[in-house]
Amino acid sequence: MSRKKVVLALGGNALGKDVEEQKVAVAKTAKVIVDLAQQGLDIIITHGNGPQVGMIQNAMDNLVVLHDNYKQIPLPTCVAMSQGYIGIDLQNAIKYELYSRGIDGKVSTILSQIEVNKDDEAFSNPTKPIGRFLTKKEAAENEINGVHCMEDAGRGYRVVVASPMPQRIRELETIKTLVHAGHIVITCGGGGIPVVSDAKGRLVGVNAVIDKDNASSLLASQLDADYLIILTAVEKVAINFGKEDQEWLSDLTVEQAKKYIEENQFAKGSMLPKIEAAIRFAESGEGRRTLITLLDKASEGIAGKTGTIIHI
């Protein structure tokens, strides 16, 4: 009997907000991951990188401001840096947890590039704020140089970039090989390093941010996974969230989910992209299911005891 494959999409609460918090957070996260692995599941881990890539981008921006001899570091390079340092912390924490349980397990981190369509409409309407806050003068200078900026909640101006849909995971065959060899694989961090193919077929980084849940859904479908688990800050998905008639959902068909989307039941900046990613995975093949729940409820969720399951 073949082992079931699970793509586990970690939210920010599984990683912490800085280097110190991350060390503590990933130790707890590793326990959940190894619990799942001990159930005989093949585990592929994806993760966000919002605070981490922001920290790196801010540091790089400040370096350029303070020292004339340094040039701006491209966003794809910052994403790669965040993949590396988050990946190694997760990898080491999982290895230690395996070791502490007497398990000789293999864990690998794959820095991954995700190809997007250079003609994606998102490039015409960049909306994702990144980096440090700018003065109005700095924002105006950026606009002159073709870098889009937007005022952010009255706190100043920030550079905004596109968030295109992922099309192709360029390291997919490497990921498949390692999963087949029994590795717990960490990949597609921060939605992946965004790239496009140029006229000669070379991969070129683009100034964009790929949604982590969209990347996770694509990865899960291309790995022929049985489950996509999207970990978030609530145990279940709700409709009428925060209202007197709030209702927690345990089971949600794709048809029901689309109806609730039409009713604007899910917040655009938080739950909506998770539901949309869940729908895409559920529709990508027979028997595919998405679980949305808390990190420490993942095992119970797979057993059908909690969380929200989205399916055909």
Side-chain angles (χ1 to χ4, degrees):
M1 185 176 177
S2 62
R3 290 160 61 94
K4 289 187 180 296
K5 284 198 275 298
V6 173
V7 171
L8 193 69
L10 300 177
N13 58 338
L15 299 174
K17 296 177 182 176
D18 55 38
V19 175
E20 292 75 20
E21 279 191 21
Q22 183 167 294
K23 296 278 189 188
V24 175
V26 296
K28 296 177 181 177
T29 300
K31 294 181 185 299
V32 175
I33 291 166
V34 175
D35 284 345
L36 292 172
Q38 285 193 290
Q39 293 180 27
L41 302 171
D42 286 334
I43 308 294
I44 305 93
I45 301 160
T46 66
H47 59 80
N49 70 341
Q52 295 83 3
V53 78
M55 178 181 69
I56 293 167
Q57 187 81 61
N58 285 342
M60 297 297 106
D61 286 351
N62 287 329
L63 184 68
V64 173
V65 171
L66 294 172
H67 300 282
D68 294 338
N69 55 322
Y70 285 97
K71 293 182 180 179
Q72 188 70 39
I73 303 297
L75 180 57
T77 303
C78 294
V79 173
M81 290 179 184
S82 73
Q83 281 191 355
Y85 104 78
I86 294 170
I88 199 62
D89 276 357
L90 267 171
Q91 181 175 311
N92 286 340
I94 296 166
K95 280 185 174 181
Y96 179 74
E97 187 63 28
L98 289 166
Y99 170 79
S100 69
R101 301 188 194 190
I103 303 170
D104 182 20
K106 294 166 285 193
V107 189
S108 297
T109 300
I110 302 298
L111 299 190
S112 49
Q113 303 171 98
I114 294 191
E115 191 171 345
V116 299
N117 185 344
K118 67 179 185 303
D119 297 320
D120 192 301
E121 291 181 1
F123 286 110
S124 301
N125 183 34
T127 56
K128 190 78 172 176
I130 61 164
R132 67 183 179 90
F133 286 97
L134 308 172
T135 65
K136 190 172 183 177
K137 181 181 177 183
E138 287 175 319
E141 290 172 352
N142 274 335
E143 291 286 350
I144 291 171
N145 294 322
V147 178
H148 296 287
C149 295
M150 183 182 294
E151 190 173 9
D152 188 346
R155 296 174 293 177
Y157 293 81
R158 294 176 77 190
V159 171
V160 289
V161 298
S163 185
M165 287 295 294
Q167 301 294 322
R168 182 182 177 191
I169 301 165
R170 297 304 300 250
E171 284 71 32
L172 182 65
E173 293 307 314
T174 303
I175 296 165
K176 285 181 177 179
T177 299
L178 288 169
V179 172
H180 183 71
H183 290 236
I184 294 174
V185 179
I186 302 158
T187 192
C188 294
I193 303 162
V195 296
V196 295
S197 292
D198 69 9
K200 295 183 178 179
R202 295 172 298 194
L203 296 179
V204 180
V206 290
N207 211 35
V209 173
I210 299 170
D211 180 82
K212 174 260 299 179
D213 296 316
N214 287 338
S216 301
S217 179
L218 177 64
L219 176 67
S221 64
Q222 295 191 342
L223 288 177
D224 195 21
D226 299 278
Y227 266 98
L228 168 63
I229 303 179
I230 298 177
L231 300 174
T232 186
V234 291
E235 187 170 340
K236 295 183 179 183
V237 176
I239 55 173
N240 303 318
F241 187 74
K243 300 177 182 178
E244 288 185 7
D245 57 346
Q246 175 176 298
E247 179 184 349
W248 296 107
L249 305 172
S250 298
D251 187 274
L252 192 57
T253 67
V254 165
E255 185 179 356
Q256 289 170 325
K258 289 180 177 179
K259 176 176 175 288
Y260 289 140
I261 288 173
E262 290 177 3
E263 295 173 1
N264 296 315
Q265 286 284 358
F266 308 121
K268 288 185 178 180
S270 55
M271 190 54 74
L272 178 60
K274 300 181 191 310
I275 297 293
E276 290 175 333
I279 289 171
R280 277 192 293 277
F281 176 64
E283 290 182 328
S284 68
E286 186 178 351
R288 295 179 177 179
R289 301 160 77 82
T290 301
L291 168 68
I292 299 179
T293 193
L294 292 165
L295 171 67
D296 58 4
K297 297 291 184 179
S299 184
E300 291 179 50
I302 287 181
K305 296 178 181 178
T306 191
T308 302
I309 293 288
I310 295 96
H311 59 92
I312 293 294

